[in-house]
Every structure is written in C-alpha cells, then in structure tokens.
Amino acid sequence: TDSLTTTPPAPHRLAPNERRQFVSRPDLQPPIVGVHAQTAGQAPGDVFLAPYGVAGQAGPMIVDPAGKLIWFNPIRAPMAATNLRVQQLDGAPVLTWWQGTITVHGYGLGIDVVVGRNYQTVAEVKAGNGYRADLHDFQITPQRTALVTAYNAVYCNLAPLGGSADGAVTDSLLQEIDIRTGLVMFEWTALNHIALSASYSAAVAGSPRWPLDFFHLNSINLDADGSLLVSSRNTWAADDIDHRTGQVLW
C-alpha cells in the first residue's frame, strides 16, 4: 500500500564535481563514476549501472571502462531504477530495467521497461492481478513472456510461531506475463508452497506496520527443463518449482 512506500535515501550535500552537467542538456545531471584501478583480468566491455540515493539524478546508465558516460536515462524523483541489463527479445538485444518506488521494507512497486537498439521503449511490463512489479528480477523468456517478482503484504495469525495473532506477512510472488498482451500466464506465491516455519526471520516482529518478510524472493532462473529456480534471502534456500503445477520439486 502507499503507506508502506518511501523515497530512496536522500543524497548528501552536493559538491560541484559530484554530478555531471552539460551545457547542451542542463536537464541531465547523472552521478559521476570514478574508476580508481584497472587490472588485466577484468572483463571487457561497458559497465551497466542503475544508481540511486547518490549525488545526481537516479536512472539507468552505461559507462565505458574508464567511467566515461555513454548513455543515461534520468528517472523523475521520488522514483528510482534498478537491474539494468541486456536481454534478448525476438532474437534481438534489448536493454531492460525496473523503475518505480522502493519501499522501506526493501522491495519495489513499479514496472519493468524494455528498450530497443535506438533506446526507444518497445514494451512496459506490469505485474498482473492487482500487483505491482518488484525490483528484484525480470527475465525475458524465449516464448516472449517475462518472469517478474512481486510482493504482497497480508494479515496473518503468527501466534503458532510465537508472534501476534493480529500479525502480517509479506508474501513473495512470481508471475509469468505475456509481453504482448499483459496477461498472467503463471503465478506462484511463497505462502502457498513454503512453510512460515522455514524462515529465519523472527515471527515475533511481524506486525501490520512491519510485516514479517518470511521469504524475500531475490532471483529467478528458467532452467533448461522448464522448471523455475528461485532463491530466497530469508529462508536461506533455493527452490526448484514445477512450471506447470507450482509444486516445489526440491
């Protein structure tokens, strides 16, 4: 809910050299990236970043190995961007990132953006069924669908685990979205398949103001056999999920 959201951390007071400024584009003020050392073993190519909570504007940016700015897309405050990367859509490379509001509870409420070679938006992928896409992962599949994460706080009786009978839990969701239509093709929720007792987070702290984040879905991987491998921070586990039934295989 909106009451759970907040802006990214406020940047410290700016010095003149902490953000770039351009005479031709005064509206662009990306943070400066300094490269202090390079080694022979470093990977070649440009560096993809999505800084926020720093001097300058938030937004996806690309710099060369020396830190020189190549491309930057400012995100209007109080929103931020995360997870800038290259993926494939219809056999062509695309840039993707998440943008939205980051909550005090460590997850995002926003959308996933896909841009083509000319940096023009070709798709905006939203979570379905009333949820909003989270910042943790966004995967485009060969079937032109997208795997997205989402979070949802629900009331929950935590008394059996030593918490409050009037407690709350933040559920972690995984959805497969058809990019063209926005339809939900598959949905999986941690609460339906993972026991609350599997969490290393203390149930006594779970309340409607600060729900128990028992699972905290961090990443998704589409395996060669079609199953979905997800990692979760607060159960200290990886779970392999049947893509048809949603059951945990191991």
Side-chain angles (χ1 to χ4, degrees), residues 60 71 73 75 89 94-97 99 111-125 144 179:
W71 176 78
N73 184 50
I75 302 296
L89 178 63
V94 291
L95 285 178
T96 67
W97 69 85
Q99 65 183 44
I111 63 172
D112 291 293
V113 181
V114 183
V115 302
R117 285 183 177 271
N118 57 0
Y119 297 104
Q120 297 299 307
T121 300
V122 297
E124 290 185 348
V125 181
R144 212 178 193 275
I179 294 177

Side-chain angles (χ1 to χ4, degrees), residues 79-163:
M79 295 196 303
T82 67
N83 202 23
L84 176 66
R85 56 180 297 194
V86 177
Q87 299 197 63
Q88 295 283 321
L89 178 63
D90 295 332
V94 291
L95 285 178
T96 67
W97 69 85
W98 173 90
Q99 65 183 44
T101 304
I102 300 175
T103 73
V104 296
H105 302 288
Y107 59 86
L109 300 171
I111 63 172
D112 291 293
V113 181
V114 183
V115 302
R117 285 183 177 271
N118 57 0
Y119 297 104
Q120 297 299 307
T121 300
V122 297
E124 290 185 348
V125 181
K126 302 177 181 179
N129 297 337
Y131 303 113
R132 297 173 69 182
D134 164 59
L135 60 87
H136 280 88
D137 208 350
F138 174 67
Q139 300 269 348
I140 296 176
T141 75
Q143 289 72 42
R144 212 178 193 275
T145 63
L147 300 171
V148 304
T149 58
Y151 282 66
N152 180 43
V154 297
Y155 291 106
C156 183
N157 179 7
L158 297 176
L161 299 175

Side-chain angles (χ1 to χ4, degrees), residues 18-41:
E18 289 184 316
R19 56 181 174 180
R20 294 195 181 278
Q21 294 180 301
F22 305 94
V23 173
S24 59
R25 289 292 303 273
D27 58 308
L28 297 181
Q29 298 180 0
I32 292 176
V33 177
V35 177
H36 302 285
Q38 296 191 9
T39 68

Side-chain angles (χ1 to χ4, degrees), residues 46-93:
D46 299 324
V47 182
F48 292 70
L49 306 169
Y52 65 89
V54 297
Q57 297 166 318
M61 65 187 298
I62 303 174
V63 298
D64 70 10
K68 181 180 178 181
L69 184 67
I70 295 175
W71 176 78
F72 175 66
N73 184 50
I75 302 296
R76 185 167 55 186
M79 295 196 303
T82 67
N83 202 23
L84 176 66
R85 56 180 297 194
V86 177
Q87 299 197 63
Q88 295 283 321
L89 178 63
D90 295 332

